[in-house]
């Protein structure tokens, strides 16, 4: 359903007809109402809000149906986040597409800011996200914390050489319709449940990345976030490595259609991937998916990675290098504590949470 409101701002992107906000939801009854309201409150002439309930077993549909006169609702059997987003996109008509997680929220000026930097060459607009707690109170953190505004040319170079670039999570991005259509139409098994993994990875190959260095959305941290570590799971790191490899393979396939050369060993220069690789190798070598890996090989790759630009300041890269080396040489008990501090949010002291907020990247 299309909401039309008066527009009082003339901007470069004023020729844009509409924005579609697609909200996939599964059992987030406590938050989905806030997400919907934030989308409806966007100050833009034409806003289309599509909510896809993915087989929720809580009272999510009751909350969503309270907005039945203002939004389009798709109720489906549980299929996962990726099919939910694809189904929502097929129902949409907007020139700009935002996939809003149902526990996050958008700020009212998000489209005005995007329109002010609109470019036909852009495949993605990314903006910072204010971190809030379960009650919606700001924590004081913002992610990502760019040490400088990254140029699109640099982002493309970082992605082709390391498979990484600083980016907000899914709700902190907006895409032109043509780009989403291309990614969703590209032949892939899409084994990752999160569509933003593929959109974030493919964007540097298909166009320019426009970065807006101000918070235009809220990222809610509540302990049950999809993808979050609630406790240390030694077996998960091998799966994360496999997913990261598949995402980069997807990027390489997209890049090849654009005649864009990529480094075949890029992930071995990616400090975030090397953190996963370190944890996997040291905690569960029996499940580690990289054949003939060793502490020496990881250390050598980490030293190369710290010297390779990938969107982090040198101090950030050195900090991650220090963590990798400490895990590699530590006794088993201490190494598990180090891995927990990095990957299990509930076990982090406040100072470490702030530090790790600097390191949100595509991985």
């Amino acid at each position: 359903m299309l909401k039309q409101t008066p527009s009082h701002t003339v901007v470069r992107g004023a020729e844009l007809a509409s924005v579609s906000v697609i909200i996939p939801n599964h059992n987030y009854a406590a938050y989905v109402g806030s997400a919907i309201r934030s989308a409806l409150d966007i100050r833009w002439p034409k806003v289309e809000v599509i909510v896809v309930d993915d087989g929720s077993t809580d009272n999510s549909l009751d909350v969503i149906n309270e907005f039945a006169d203002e939004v389009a609702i798709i109720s489906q059997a549980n299929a996962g986040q990726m099919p939910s987003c694809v189904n929502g996109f097929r129902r949409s008509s907007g020139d700009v597409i935002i996939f809003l997680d149902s526990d996050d929220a958008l700020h009212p000026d998000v489209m005005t800011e995007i329109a002010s930097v609109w470019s036909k060459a852009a495949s993605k607009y990314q903006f910072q996200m204010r971190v809030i707690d379960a009650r919606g109170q700001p924590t004081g953190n913002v992610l990502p914390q760019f040490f400088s505004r990254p140029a699109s040319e640099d982002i493309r170079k970082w992605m082709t050489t390391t498979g990484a670039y600083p980016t907000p999570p899914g709700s902190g991005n907006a895409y032109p319709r043509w780009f989403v259509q291309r990614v969703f139409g590209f032949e892939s098994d899409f084994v990752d449940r999160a569509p933003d993994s593929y959109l974030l990875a493919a964007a540097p190959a298909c166009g320019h990345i426009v970065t807006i260095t101000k918070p235009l959305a809220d990222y809610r941290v509540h302990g049950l976030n999809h993808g979050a570590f609630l406790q240390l799971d030694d077996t998960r790191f091998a799966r994360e490595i496999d997913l990261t490899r598949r995402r980069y393979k997807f990027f390489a396939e997209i890049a090849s259609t654009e005649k864009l050369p990529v480094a075949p060993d890029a992930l071995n220069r990616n400090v975030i991937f090397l953190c996963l690789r370190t944890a996997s190798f040291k905690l569960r070598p029996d499940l580690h998916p990289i054949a003939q890996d060793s502490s020496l090989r990881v250390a050598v790759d980490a030293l190369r990675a710290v010297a390779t630009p990938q969107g982090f300041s040198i101090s950030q890269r050195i900090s991650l290098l220090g963590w990798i080396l400490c895990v590699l040489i530590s006794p088993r008990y201490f190494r598990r504590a180090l891995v927990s501090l990095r990957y299990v949010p509930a076990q982090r002291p406040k100072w470490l949470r702030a530090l790790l907020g600097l390191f949100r990247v595509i991985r």
Side-chain angles (χ1 to χ4, degrees):
M1 184 172 295
L2 199 63
K3 179 204 77 172
Q4 299 193 31
T5 57
S7 177
H8 306 289
T9 307
V10 178
V11 292
R12 283 175 51 193
E15 71 275 10
L16 297 175
S18 63
V19 54
S20 294
V21 180
I22 299 166
I23 307 175
N25 175 76
H26 178 70
N27 288 346
Y28 271 172
Y31 309 121
V32 66
S34 295
I36 295 171
R37 175 48 55 196
S38 76
L40 291 171
D41 286 346
I42 295 173
R43 289 192 282 262
W44 191 252
K46 297 181 182 179
V47 179
E48 177 183 62
V49 182
I50 300 169
V51 186
V52 184
D53 186 72
D54 187 36
S56 292
T57 56
D58 62 3
N59 66 322
S60 286
L61 270 175
D62 294 335
V63 176
I64 295 167
N65 283 329
E66 293 176 5
F67 299 89
D69 293 338
E70 301 175 273
V71 307
I73 301 172
I74 300 173
S75 180
Q76 64 184 36
N78 182 245
Q81 191 176 14
M82 185 72 195
S84 298
C85 288
V86 171
N87 288 342
F89 176 68
R90 288 173 177 166
R91 179 79 171 268
S92 72
S93 60
D95 299 295
V96 177
I97 306 295
I98 299 175
F99 295 101
L100 176 64
D101 289 344
S102 56
D103 53 347
D104 293 337
L106 295 169
H107 293 187
D109 292 331
V110 60
M111 270 304 296
T112 303
E113 294 289 342
I114 291 169
S116 70
V117 293
W118 184 258
S119 167
K120 292 182 178 180
S123 57
K124 185 178 86 130
Y125 299 84
Q126 61 179 25
F127 38 88
Q128 291 177 302
M129 300 185 71
R130 180 180 63 174
V131 180
I132 60 175
D133 62 20
R135 298 171 300 167
Q137 297 301 308
T139 66
N141 291 336
V142 173
L143 55 88
Q145 295 181 3
F146 300 108
F147 73 92
S148 65
R149 186 195 301 267
S152 184
E153 297 80 5
D154 289 333
I155 287 175
R156 175 173 285 192
K157 181 177 180 181
W158 297 334
M159 191 64 183
T160 57
T161 56
T162 70
Y165 69 94
T167 180
S171 301
N173 302 273
Y175 311 95
R177 184 175 192 85
W178 65 264
F179 172 69
V180 179
Q181 184 73 56
R182 179 173 181 190
V183 172
F184 284 2
F186 197 86
E187 289 191 11
S188 172
D189 55 3
F190 287 117
V191 296
D192 192 344
R193 67 182 181 182
D196 52 279
S197 295
Y198 298 97
L199 294 165
L200 299 182
C206 297
H208 294 172
I209 307 296
V210 178
T211 300
I212 302 171
T213 54
K214 64 172 62 175
L216 296 176
D218 289 339
Y219 179 79
R220 192 187 303 270
V221 176
H222 49 80
L224 297 177
N225 302 73
H226 295 314
F229 280 79
L230 300 182
Q231 59 185 5
L232 187 60
D233 178 359
D234 295 0
T235 68
R236 181 169 171 177
F237 295 102
R239 298 194 298 272
E240 291 292 331
I241 287 173
D242 180 61
L243 286 175
T244 303
R245 286 168 146 182
R246 289 175 181 266
R247 291 171 198 150
Y248 190 71
K249 179 176 179 289
F250 178 76
F251 165 74
E253 291 170 350
I254 290 278
S256 69
T257 67
E258 299 292 328
K259 311 300 182 186
L260 182 65
V262 300
D265 63 341
L267 291 180
N268 290 330
R269 292 182 174 85
N270 177 332
V271 288
I272 299 300
F273 178 76
L274 284 163
C275 289
L276 290 172
R277 185 175 153 195
T278 300
S280 173
F281 176 70
K282 297 303 292 186
L283 295 185
R284 286 302 299 267
D286 57 319
L287 298 179
H288 189 54
I290 300 177
Q292 299 179 335
D293 212 354
S294 68
S295 294
L296 179 60
R297 288 179 62 183
V298 174
V300 169
D301 286 342
L303 288 168
R304 288 195 305 165
V306 80
T308 305
Q310 49 197 280
F312 299 141
S313 68
I314 187 64
S315 62
Q316 290 170 333
R317 280 178 271 154
I318 290 173
S319 296
L320 289 176
L321 172 65
W323 181 88
I324 290 169
L325 295 178
C326 285
V327 174
L328 289 176
I329 66 174
S330 294
R332 181 171 180 80
Y333 173 79
F334 191 52
R335 93 175 56 124
R336 286 183 59 81
L338 285 172
V339 173
S340 292
L341 283 174
R342 171 159 179 76
Y343 288 105
V344 184
Q347 297 184 20
R348 298 173 188 161
K350 289 184 178 180
W351 66 266
L352 186 59
R353 293 176 199 171
L355 177 64
L356 293 177
L358 300 173
F359 303 136
R360 184 78 186 194
V361 298
I362 175 67
R363 59 182 188 176

